[in-house]
Amino acid sequence: MIAESGHYALVLALALALIQSFVPLIGAWLRDPALMNVARSTALAQMLFVGASFVALVALHVTSDFSVANVYENSHSMKPLIYKITGVWGNHEGSMLLWVSILALFGGLVAAFGNNLPLSLRAHVLAVQAWVASAFYLFILITSNPFLRIANPPIEGRDLNPVLQDIGLAVHPPMLYLGYVGFSISFSFAIAALIEGRIDAAWARWVRPWTLVAWIFLTLGIAMGSYWAYYELGWGGWWFWDPVENASLMPWLAGTALLHSALVMEKRNALKVWTILLSILTFSLSLLGTFLVRSGVLTSVHAFASDPTRGVFILLILCVFIGGSLSLYAARVSSLKQGGLFAPISREGALVLNNLFLTTACATVLVGTLYPLGLEVLTGEKISVGAPFFNLTFGPLFVPLLIAVPFGPMLAWKRGDLLGAAQRLLAAGIVALLALALVWAWAHGGSALAPPAIALAVFVILGSVTDLVERVGLFRAPFGTAMRRARGLPRSVWGTAFAHAGLGIALIGIVCETTWNSEYIGTMKPDDVAHVAGYELKLDGLFQRQGPNFREMIARFEVGRDGESLSVMTPSKRSFTTRGSSTTEAALLTRGASQLYISLGDVTNEGAIAVRIYHKPLVLLIWWGPVLMAFGGLLSLSDRRLRVGAPKPARAQPRLQPAE
């Protein structure tokens, strides 16, 4: 009955979404508050029903009900509980149910916490959100029903893909989906604004917190996915320019541009037309990513193979929402009033420059991802666009962007002083040049571009610090006064500084790992010693262990340096008999922000085992940077100005009558 109840709850959620799609629009047209308020109640009810459907699928996986096809295909009775739960979204049907559950969650949150929105705007936003939800409910029920029963239930399941049986998969997909799907709120606000014809600074104040929430989760989701690929796949890499990775990077780039343009719109009532377009494009790129992963047009370690029906259905959804929204935008854009003017040298100008480089980078990734697919469709020729293309195009775009990042907060709104900003950043520039000289003197080998890149990262980090120092007057006022000013700074200022500094920290990690990475690749027998970056790694022996649903071969390495024993590392290979496949469990030894990394290959006929040993200097900075960026986003989100939202119009107070 659990499967039937989950399926029934999903059908009821579809019915509620259809009501939410049309009744509030009729109410807005008739200016009927009762009908417009239907959006709020149906959004909350829809969230509860789809949540119940998702919980039902989790229960089926936890209880190993193999009469349900989804559980049989992706679970096993001996699988650990945590992987039974994460197995719910480790497949196409379950992940789509998670996708639409998060979509309903965001709609419910707008309904619950959007009391400061004008009633008609909230009705339109929730109606648009319901349009998207209805399309994906239909997609799930028609092509991807996770509650289908098997006529003759098997005794045991086929188990989850072994690569997905990892704690990273408990975090990565939900985080990624919270980012992907969270941008649907920005999209709904944009369409609602186009329908109403009302786009102003208040609209930007309303939409910015939701965009920021989605951006935070997408930042963490991409970082978690990168780290999962790094330690789980055994390749020792953290980014491969895989098309599915690109599918998550594109909305992140567009969403970052949207955050900055919404800030200009909120502060200066400018860039209105551009901000609306970015809101549409960001979620459109999320939908495109969903299509790439679900349609079967890509082969990837984290793409789901699907039948053509699913691909056609999602392509239809893509055409309807992207084509429809852009058509509405084209029809209404001429009626939108432009906002305030500003000089090219101003904070607005810096944010426009930011948008220019981010959207160009996004377009570059889009072309590099879709061009091979389009070429194969048109000519049948298969080509691959890999790291050389993306590295060659990203560098020229991000170098000027990173140079401009510290200048933006230093410039005044409307008209700024570039020379004055440069003078305030002089100390940061001098320290960056010193860092360039030190790295050049210290480094041996590697790219000649690495020291300038590190100097640029130092400039970005110190630029963020300089902005805070200038705002509190650290060296101009008494220390106590500066500390009081620091406590009084808006949290969004601190958030901006942390986010920009995180960008520089990540850049240092990327440059150091890619430039001065050391490796040893070969075969080893017990008592053999490998030397990597000054470390001695001795293979003590190979051992076998039986896991809950796998058999594991473990290698024991004793790690030393300069004759001193440091630690023991135990990489392994796991064989999953049910799936007939194996996984590599890399061993990591963290020393500061650097890591030693060991992964195992196959055993040779002579009893030796193939090993990959890497020393990755400052590699953890690659992920500490995004975490710091997300923390900056959280600080900005906690700013009272964002929590309060746009101000409500003051109510007229009744005039007091004089006493008789």
Side-chain angles (χ1 to χ4, degrees):
M1 284 298 294
I2 296 178
E4 287 70 27
S5 299
H7 183 261
Y8 185 56
L10 199 58
V11 173
L12 288 177
L14 170 62
L16 288 165
L18 291 173
I19 295 171
Q20 184 182 328
S21 298
F22 297 105
V23 173
L25 293 180
I26 297 171
W29 183 55
L30 298 176
R31 301 186 182 278
D32 187 333
L35 291 179
M36 285 190 282
N37 272 320
V38 168
R40 185 175 186 272
S41 54
T42 50
L44 293 171
Q46 183 198 147
M47 179 180 69
L48 291 176
F49 277 111
V50 74
S53 180
F54 185 77
V55 169
L57 186 59
V58 172
L60 292 169
H61 275 259
V62 169
T63 57
S64 297
D65 187 347
F66 298 123
S67 66
V68 177
N70 183 264
V71 181
Y72 163 71
E73 292 287 344
N74 301 284
S75 191
H76 190 280
S77 60
M78 298 300 293
K79 191 167 64 173
L81 177 61
I82 181 65
Y83 300 141
K84 287 184 178 180
I85 296 173
T86 60
V88 172
W89 53 80
N91 59 87
H92 169 76
E93 294 82 4
S95 63
M96 287 309 303
L97 185 57
L98 175 65
W99 202 100
V100 80
S101 298
I102 293 174
L103 187 71
L105 171 65
F106 273 98
L109 290 175
V110 170
F113 300 105
N115 294 326
N116 61 334
L117 297 174
L119 189 56
S120 63
L121 178 62
R122 187 177 71 184
H124 281 108
V125 168
L126 292 177
V128 175
Q129 195 76 0
W131 297 347
V132 181
S134 299
F136 279 96
Y137 286 139
L138 287 171
F139 171 72
I140 293 173
L141 290 169
I142 294 173
T143 71
S144 310
N145 187 355
F147 298 105
L148 291 177
R149 292 280 192 183
I150 298 175
N152 298 308
I155 298 175
E156 192 52 87
R158 295 187 58 204
D159 207 355
L160 179 66
N161 184 345
V163 173
L164 305 180
Q165 293 189 38
D166 182 82
I167 193 64
L169 265 291
V171 180
H172 168 54
M175 286 264 187
L176 205 61
Y177 287 3
L178 283 165
Y180 263 170
V181 183
F183 286 125
S184 65
I185 297 296
S186 308
F187 174 82
S188 297
F189 266 96
I191 300 303
L194 289 172
I195 293 173
E196 286 196 342
R198 174 187 172 180
I199 302 171
D200 52 20
W203 179 91
R205 176 69 66 85
W206 287 318
V207 78
R208 204 155 68 89
W210 299 103
T211 305
L212 188 54
V213 167
W215 181 86
I216 290 168
F217 280 116
L218 187 56
T219 301
L220 292 174
I222 291 174
M224 184 67 243
S226 169
Y227 191 64
W228 169 79
Y230 166 73
Y231 73 78
E232 176 65 22
L233 299 182
W235 301 338
W238 49 272
W239 191 264
F240 306 99
W241 292 110
D242 181 285
V244 181
E245 290 175 327
N246 296 347
S248 63
L249 180 62
M250 288 186 288
W252 186 87
L253 292 169
T256 305
L258 173 59
L259 277 176
H260 290 84
S261 67
L263 180 63
V264 175
M265 184 174 170
E266 178 188 339
K267 298 291 185 182
R268 298 283 305 135
N269 199 28
L271 300 184
K272 292 193 289 188
V273 173
W274 175 243
T275 304
I276 291 291
L277 179 60
L278 272 181
S279 300
I280 294 172
L281 292 179
T282 302
F283 184 59
S284 297
L285 290 169
S286 296
L287 291 176
L288 178 63
T290 302
F291 168 73
L292 291 176
V293 179
R294 309 290 158 185
S295 62
V297 300
L298 294 178
T299 302
S300 165
V301 293
H302 40 0
F304 294 100
S306 305
D307 60 68
T309 305
R310 293 172 178 172
V312 171
F313 204 117
I314 295 184
L315 185 60
L316 182 62
I317 293 175
L318 224 64
C319 293
V320 169
F321 285 104
I322 297 178
S325 60
L326 291 178
S327 299
L328 178 63
Y329 174 81
R332 300 301 298 269
V333 69
S334 59
S335 64
L336 299 179
K337 294 181 179 179
Q338 293 292 340
L341 300 176
F342 52 86
I345 304 299
S346 62
R347 190 173 301 187
E348 297 97 323
L351 293 172
V352 169
L353 188 68
N354 158 291
N355 271 227
L356 174 65
F357 285 118
L358 284 172
T359 51
T360 305
C362 183
T364 300
V365 178
L366 181 66
V367 171
T369 303
L370 295 185
Y371 176 72
L373 301 177
L375 186 66
E376 183 178 354
V377 169
L378 295 175
T379 67
E381 181 183 357
K382 289 188 177 183
I383 66 167
S384 62
V385 176
F389 167 80
F390 292 107
N391 293 339
L392 188 63
T393 53
F394 249 65
L397 291 171
F398 265 75
V399 167
L401 174 62
L402 290 171
I403 292 173
V405 162
F407 284 89
M410 296 286 181
L411 296 172
W413 293 104
K414 196 172 183 179
R415 183 178 297 278
D417 180 5
L418 185 60
L419 181 60
Q423 289 174 341
R424 292 193 293 275
L425 288 168
L426 182 61
I430 291 173
V431 175
L433 290 176
L434 289 175
L436 170 63
L438 287 173
V439 174
W440 217 306
W442 168 81
H444 300 284
S447 171
L449 297 176
I454 290 181
L456 178 57
V458 170
F459 180 63
V460 171
I461 296 169
L462 293 182
S464 303
V465 176
T466 303
D467 180 41
L468 296 176
V469 168
E470 288 289 327
R471 287 177 183 272
V472 303
L474 183 59
F475 301 115
R476 298 192 306 271
F479 184 75
T481 303
M483 289 301 100
R484 285 193 295 273
R485 289 176 180 173
R487 287 193 293 270
L489 280 180
R491 292 183 184 177
S492 60
V493 172
W494 287 98
T496 299
F498 277 115
H500 289 175
L503 192 61
I505 288 171
L507 178 59
I508 291 176
I510 291 170
V511 173
C512 290
E513 193 279 333
T514 54
T515 305
W516 297 293
N517 176 36
S518 302
E519 67 178 31
Y520 170 89
I521 301 176
T523 58
M524 297 180 67
K525 293 182 179 180
D527 296 327
D528 285 352
V529 178
H531 298 270
V532 177
Y535 292 90
E536 300 94 30
L537 297 99
K538 179 184 177 183
L539 177 59
D540 284 342
L542 303 174
F543 310 92
Q544 298 287 336
R545 184 177 75 90
Q546 181 62 49
N549 61 332
F550 59 83
R551 185 154 185 84
E552 187 172 28
M553 180 184 66
I554 303 172
R556 187 180 187 276
F557 285 84
E558 186 175 338
V559 184
R561 189 182 181 96
D562 299 326
E564 179 186 353
S565 180
L566 297 178
S567 183
V568 172
M569 300 177 68
T570 54
S572 67
K573 283 186 72 74
R574 293 177 179 177
S575 298
F576 294 77
T577 54
T578 306
R579 280 274 179 173
S581 59
S582 62
T583 62
T584 298
E585 302 297 317
L588 303 173
L589 175 61
T590 301
R591 304 271 293 173
S594 304
Q595 284 189 330
L596 274 175
Y597 180 110
I598 307 177
S599 66
L600 302 180
D602 297 325
V603 177
T604 66
N605 295 331
E606 293 79 20
I609 187 166
V611 297
R612 290 174 175 262
I613 304 174
Y614 301 96
H615 176 254
K616 297 182 170 292
L618 301 184
V619 67
L620 290 179
L621 296 185
I622 295 173
W623 301 290
W624 290 355
V627 169
L628 190 61
M629 293 166 68
F631 177 70
L634 283 173
L635 279 179
S636 297
L637 190 63
S638 67
D639 194 311
R640 183 178 179 275
R641 293 172 298 176
L642 280 184
R643 295 201 311 273
V644 170
K648 295 181 179 179
R651 294 181 180 179
Q653 298 294 327
R655 181 178 299 176
L656 296 177
Q657 297 295 327
E660 296 181 3

